[in-house]
């Protein structure tokens, strides 16, 4: 059985990483749509750098939770028949033990050079405009996918959805495309579909089944059921 799991901010919420569209979703009064666009960056690069520098620094203060670890346990059993596609830019899946993870919206611990387009592992702040280690130009930006940009690895994701027998969406509001449309791709390709989320998402009616509650209890229980 091929399983594709899509994760969003809700899976990391109980690790202490804020979501985007829940009550605590604003950052210093900015909506994500204002700080997560190329236009927002061009207008206020230092505001956008601070948003991402703070989030990168906070990674060292958060730990994977039971939901991340349960997906790693599932990978131990399914191997390459499981793919985790995450919209999250944190590294909690990897630190929870998963290795088959695609970060479709990029990663906090990576920088993208606007001059040479090179991607470089990055642990430090970007607000002080360090030079790109590849080309030397001080044009590094967060290596994340903003509105209007094309998400990473879409071909691999499409192939995995085409081959999926089961598609599971965890902790995402279903407000952002193309991820919000994956359930329909997977269903059309013949997969069963399941939503695991704190509350019904915008697309909850598109799923065959849905379970609602905190990811740290729903995901381990679902993995136990699947492996039984
Ligand atoms: C819990 C929980 C707990 C809480 N347990 N659950 C009009 C119609 C349709 C589409 C468009 C349109 N106009 C424009 C578009 C396209 C646009 C889009 O979707 N806009 C929408 C606003 C409509 N999309 C794009 O521009 C994308 N690119 C694109 O489409 O390119 C074209 C193309 C695609 C494919 C092939 C070829 C071409 C790019 C989108 C980039 C999104 N970027 C961001 C920022 C990334 C960097 C960063 O992290 O800062 O990605 S925005 C932000 O939203 C971030 C997230 O990954 C993404 C999704 O958010 P998520 O994860 O769902 O979080 P929340 O907060 O919304 O929800 C959390 C959920 O968890 C809630 O439901 C809670 O209930 C739940 N929860 N605690 C379980 N304990």
């Amino acid at each position: 059985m091929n399983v594709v799991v899509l994760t969003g901010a809700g899976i990391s919420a109980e690790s202490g990483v804020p979501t985007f569209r829940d009550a605590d979703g604003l950052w210093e009064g900015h909506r994500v749509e204002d700080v997560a666009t190329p236009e927002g960056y061009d207008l206020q690069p230092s505001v956008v750098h601070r948003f991402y520098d703070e989030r990168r620094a906070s990674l060292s203060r958060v730990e994977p939770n039971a939901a991340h670890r349960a997906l790693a346990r599932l990978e131990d059993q399914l191997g390459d028949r499981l793919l985790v596609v995450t919209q999250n830019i944190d590294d909690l899946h990897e630190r929870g033990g998963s290795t088959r993870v695609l970060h479709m919206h990029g990663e906090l611990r990576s920088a993208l050079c606007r001059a040479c387009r090179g991607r470089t592992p990055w642990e430090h702040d970007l607000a002080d405009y360090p030079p790109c280690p590849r080309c030397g130009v001080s044009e590094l930006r967060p290596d994340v996918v903003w509105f209007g940009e094309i998400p990473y690895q879409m071909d691999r994701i499409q192939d995995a959805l085409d081959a999926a027998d089961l598609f599971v969406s965890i902790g995402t509001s279903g407000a952002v495309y193309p991820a919000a449309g994956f359930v329909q791709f997977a269903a059309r390709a013949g997969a069963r579909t399941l939503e695991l989320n704190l509350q019904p998402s915008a697309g909850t009616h598109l799923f065959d089944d849905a379970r609602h509650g905190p990811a740290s209890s729903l995901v381990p229980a679902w993995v136990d059921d699947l492996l039984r």
Side-chain angles (χ1 to χ4, degrees):
M1 180 177 51
N2 290 318
V3 181
V4 176
V5 171
L6 170 70
T7 65
I11 197 168
S12 297
E14 290 162 84
S15 294
V17 180
T19 60
F20 295 96
R21 295 173 185 82
D22 294 308
D24 60 352
L26 289 179
W27 177 76
E28 292 187 3
H30 299 279
R31 295 178 317 137
V32 65
E33 287 78 7
D34 297 333
V35 280
T37 63
E39 296 78 19
Y41 181 72
D42 286 338
L43 275 176
Q44 295 184 294
S46 55
V47 169
V48 175
H49 275 311
R50 222 154 28 85
F51 177 60
Y52 287 99
D53 285 349
E54 283 180 15
R55 289 169 64 192
R56 191 179 306 102
S58 74
L59 286 182
S60 59
R61 299 190 291 273
V62 297
E63 295 295 332
N65 65 52
H68 299 102
R69 289 193 298 272
L71 292 180
R73 189 156 54 85
L74 187 59
E75 185 185 304
D76 288 343
Q77 297 303 313
L78 296 185
D80 62 9
R81 287 171 294 147
L82 173 68
L83 180 67
V84 174
V85 177
T86 188
Q87 298 169 86
N88 299 342
I89 60 175
D90 65 49
D91 57 358
L92 293 178
H93 282 301
E94 288 85 350
R95 284 159 58 199
S98 290
T99 64
R100 292 183 45 78
V101 183
L102 297 186
H103 285 268
M104 65 178 288
H105 289 167
E107 296 182 63
L108 275 170
R109 287 188 157 143
S110 179
L112 172 68
C113 178
R114 299 216 305 173
C116 73
R117 306 305 295 171
R119 303 176 75 187
T120 307
W122 201 263
E123 297 288 338
H124 312 289
D125 286 353
L126 290 170
D128 45 0
Y129 300 98
C132 170
R134 291 163 187 261
C135 72
V137 177
S138 291
E139 281 281 2
L140 292 176
R141 56 162 270 190
D143 188 7
V144 302
V145 177
W146 288 324
F147 287 108
E149 298 181 326
I150 299 179
Y152 286 119
Q153 312 254 30
M154 285 306 299
D155 290 348
R156 282 184 70 191
I157 295 170
Q158 190 62 60
D159 289 348
L161 292 173
D162 283 343
D165 301 298
L166 176 62
F167 172 79
V168 185
S169 171
I170 302 173
T172 176
S173 59
V176 176
Y177 288 84
F182 289 172
V183 57
Q184 288 160 303
F185 283 119
R188 244 180 266 134
R192 280 200 69 75
T193 57
L194 169 67
E195 169 172 277
L196 302 176
N197 202 47
L198 193 57
Q199 60 205 28
S201 73
T204 194
H205 58 284
L206 300 170
F207 290 83
D208 295 317
D209 298 301
R211 300 178 193 171
H212 296 128
S216 65
S217 49
L218 286 186
V219 180
W222 165 68
V223 169
D224 287 347
D225 283 354
L226 197 69
L227 295 180
R228 192 163 290 141

